[in-house]
Amino acid sequence: VNVLNPYRTSSSPAIDRLSCLAPLSERDRAALAEAMHERSRVRPRGELLREGQAIGRPKLLLEGWAARVRMLDDGRRQFMSMLLPGDLVGSCRQARPLAVATVVALCEVQWCHAPEAEPGSGLGQAYAASAAFEEAALLAQITRLGRMTAAERICDFLLELRTRLAMAGLASDTSFDMPLTQETLADALGLTSVHVNRVVQGLRRDGDLQWKGGRVTLTDPDALAAKIGRVEIRVSEG
Amino acid sequence: VNVLNPYRTSSSPAIDRLSCLAPLSERDRAALAEAMHERSRVRPRGELLREGQAIGRPKLLLEGWAARVRMLDDGRRQFMSMLLPGDLVGSCRQARPLAVATVVALCEVQWCHAPEAEPGSGLGQAYAASAAFEEAALLAQITRLGRMTAAERICDFLLELRTRLAMAGLASDTSFDMPLTQETLADALGLTSVHVNRVVQGLRRDGDLQWKGGRVTLTDPDALAAKIGRVEIRVSEG
DNA sequence: CGGTATGTTGAGAAGAGTCAATTATGGTGG
DNA sequence: CCACCATAATTGACTCTTCTCAACATACCG
């Protein structure tokens, strides 16, 4: 049982997540199911979007993880945010929008075109809520990078992933699969992989977490959240 | 003459900035002029929005600077982004949105309600472009905090301010008024005020900038941008 | 069974923070 | 015009976190 997402229906991670953001009508679900018939695949390190190029139709991530990334010309690399199943890629209010960051697959990824939402539909609300959560995630990232220590960054980041994955039915209360290396984690958190390694070892020693073979287990997520002063963000009323 | 904003009309910073984002019709301008009749004032350190509370109607910043800010419970403070004249505050696609960050005035601020944009109007496009630029600014902030040294952060930040202020007609090619203290600059850049002080002194010594009495002068903005590898972001085609 | 990607370790250097004192600076009331 | 105050800027000495540059170990893959 997933206490973080009572709406979980096991239909598909993407649908689970969207229906967690707003109640979907049968029509909405049908549109999603229809859209999901035609899936595209991207291999690890492949790009879903390239900075400076036209965005095209918005995509819906179905499986696998991706990241919005920016590179400095001397090779320094920074991830803006992680994109998980159920997340929208390239959703935008503009007329002829350009991507402001490259989106790169961190493992085998599947996506489909996000179906047009009928005005006022639950799906439209879900898209809007998704955008709001995405902005909240950017602000959380800024706070991590600007004002947290390495250990705090790692814990806060993992707690955020756990919450977001749970919406898609991809996390139990304490653990989830994470296809990241210490290197990619470093790129997400503004650290070096060497330092990530040392700090993770410290967290393991202290019994805060386990991380082996692509699976993360947080010993006591609530206690950890309390320890680093993390609060979950609410994005709309009710 | 302001080479950064050829659209500058001297009517008002906010209108200058919006008309720089999309061509405004006479109708749009009239709606803006009408809305700007009723101005609200906020004193320095006053709040325009509070994290977790309902957003209400979107606001248009007319004068003065504000910042989106988040605080950690031990007092650490991080600015997400600066809000300048012509920027929208609390614009959002959602039904009953909550503010995801507090917005605080950094000096005497004036704002008005942002007039509703007619569908398809230039004003609507300007709002959309403004939102896109705001997201780009968040990504730039993440890159600064995650992967730049203190000196790079300061230069990149000042260059961004120059570009944005120029859209509102508030910057010449090399200089602009900046109502920030070294302390607030530190909160924006994830540094301490002591370190900001030392690094700014270094930049002054190297002849990169002057900063005295609330006015910043960048000796050679283009050279500085090249030095730190900064590129201006484009957000839509054409 | 190599080979590549990933994870681990050590020593030393550099960047940034801390704490505390000192010096401008600007605005106020007398 | 000046004394006074609060805020902001500056400086010094010292600490601590994080980075750098290796080298080495392990795991996964065909």
Side-chain angles (χ1 to χ4, degrees):
Chain A
V1 185
N2 184 337
V3 304
L4 294 172
N5 177 7
Y7 308 102
R8 177 148 160 52
T9 62
S10 300
S11 42
S12 114
I15 294 185
D16 278 359
R17 185 199 178 233
L18 290 172
S19 60
C20 184
L21 295 175
L24 300 185
S25 66
E26 276 315 311
R27 239 180 132 79
D28 292 330
R29 286 169 190 279
L32 284 166
E34 163 70 21
M36 286 165 55
H37 271 139
E38 202 159 312
R39 289 163 180 247
S40 301
R41 283 178 167 68
V42 182
R43 64 185 64 254
R45 291 159 196 267
E47 292 181 359
L48 284 85
L49 229 52
R50 182 166 208 119
E51 182 177 346
Q53 303 202 338
I55 283 186
R57 290 167 59 190
K59 300 171 171 65
L60 177 61
L61 240 189
L62 299 175
E63 270 193 46
W65 292 27
R68 306 179 73 187
V69 60
R70 215 165 270 166
M71 303 213 37
L72 277 60
D73 43 18
D74 62 352
R76 283 177 285 184
R77 191 164 78 141
Q78 179 63 49
F79 290 176
M80 308 290 115
S81 61
M82 309 303 292
L83 299 171
L84 310 177
D87 279 349
L88 289 159
V89 180
S91 165
C92 183
R93 279 185 274 182
Q94 281 210 274
R96 292 155 70 214
L98 301 178
V100 290
T102 295
V103 173
V104 61
L106 301 175
C107 57
E108 181 81 21
V109 156
Q110 289 185 31
W111 61 269
C112 67
H113 291 293
E116 200 95 19
E118 299 175 41
S121 67
L123 187 57
Q125 289 173 43
Y127 287 169
S130 181
F133 268 109
E134 195 178 324
E135 182 180 19
L138 292 181
L139 301 192
Q141 175 77 335
I142 290 173
T143 307
R144 270 193 293 267
L145 297 178
R147 291 300 181 202
M148 291 189 188
T149 65
E152 289 170 331
R153 288 184 212 184
I154 291 173
C155 295
D156 186 78
F157 184 72
L158 294 177
L159 286 165
E160 178 185 311
L161 289 175
R162 165 183 172 262
T163 304
R164 291 176 56 192
L165 288 168
M167 292 196 210
L170 295 172
S172 77
D173 285 358
T174 58
S175 69
F176 50 89
D177 288 319
M178 181 174 76
L180 300 183
T181 64
Q182 294 183 357
E183 179 101 39
T184 51
L185 191 55
D187 283 333
L189 298 179
L191 302 166
T192 59
S193 60
V194 172
H195 197 56
V196 165
N197 180 280
R198 291 195 232 264
V199 175
V200 166
Q201 285 179 58
L203 293 170
R204 282 201 269 245
R205 252 196 313 277
D206 297 349
D208 289 324
L209 57 79
Q210 294 168 262
W211 176 15
K212 221 178 69 179
R215 186 159 191 90
V216 171
T217 303
L218 304 175
T219 312
D220 186 343
D222 294 340
L224 193 59
K227 184 154 97 179
I228 66 169
R230 174 183 168 81
V231 287
E232 299 292 341
I233 302 289
R234 290 184 57 218
V235 137
S236 71
E237 301 184 59
Chain B
V1 184
N2 183 338
V3 303
L4 294 173
N5 177 6
Y7 308 101
R8 177 148 159 53
T9 62
S10 301
S11 43
S12 111
I15 293 184
D16 279 358
R17 187 205 175 227
L18 290 172
S19 59
C20 184
L21 295 175
L24 300 185
S25 66
E26 276 313 312
R27 240 179 131 78
D28 291 330
R29 287 171 190 279
L32 283 167
E34 164 70 20
M36 287 166 55
H37 272 138
E38 202 158 310
R39 290 164 178 247
S40 301
R41 283 178 167 70
V42 182
R43 63 185 64 252
R45 290 158 197 269
E47 294 180 0
L48 284 87
L49 229 52
R50 183 167 209 120
E51 182 178 345
Q53 302 204 339
I55 283 185
R57 290 166 61 189
K59 301 171 170 65
L60 177 61
L61 240 189
L62 299 176
E63 271 192 44
W65 292 27
R68 305 178 73 188
V69 61
R70 215 169 262 178
M71 304 212 38
L72 277 59
D73 43 18
D74 61 352
R76 284 177 284 184
R77 192 165 77 143
Q78 179 63 50
F79 290 177
M80 309 290 116
S81 62
M82 309 302 293
L83 298 171
L84 310 177
D87 280 348
L88 289 159
V89 180
S91 165
C92 182
R93 279 186 273 182
Q94 282 211 272
R96 292 153 71 212
L98 300 177
V100 289
T102 296
V103 173
V104 61
L106 299 175
C107 58
E108 182 82 21
V109 156
Q110 289 184 29
W111 61 269
C112 69
H113 290 295
E116 200 95 20
E118 300 174 41
S121 65
L123 187 57
Q125 289 173 44
Y127 287 169
S130 182
F133 268 109
E134 195 178 325
E135 183 179 18
L138 292 182
L139 301 192
Q141 174 77 338
I142 289 172
T143 307
R144 270 193 293 267
L145 298 179
R147 290 300 181 204
M148 292 189 186
T149 65
E152 289 170 331
R153 288 185 212 184
I154 291 172
C155 295
D156 186 78
F157 184 72
L158 294 177
L159 286 165
E160 177 185 311
L161 288 175
R162 165 182 172 265
T163 304
R164 290 175 58 191
L165 287 168
M167 291 195 211
L170 296 172
S172 77
D173 283 359
T174 58
S175 69
F176 52 87
D177 289 318
M178 181 175 75
L180 299 184
T181 64
Q182 296 184 355
E183 178 101 39
T184 51
L185 191 54
D187 284 332
L189 298 179
L191 302 166
T192 60
S193 60
V194 172
H195 198 55
V196 164
N197 180 278
R198 291 194 233 262
V199 174
V200 165
Q201 285 179 59
L203 293 170
R204 282 201 270 245
R205 255 197 311 279
D206 297 347
D208 289 324
L209 58 77
Q210 295 169 261
W211 176 15
K212 221 178 70 177
R215 187 159 190 90
V216 171
T217 303
L218 304 175
T219 313
D220 185 343
D222 294 340
L224 193 59
K227 184 154 96 178
I228 65 169
R230 175 184 166 82
V231 288
E232 298 291 341
I233 303 290
R234 290 184 57 220
V235 139
S236 72
E237 301 183 59

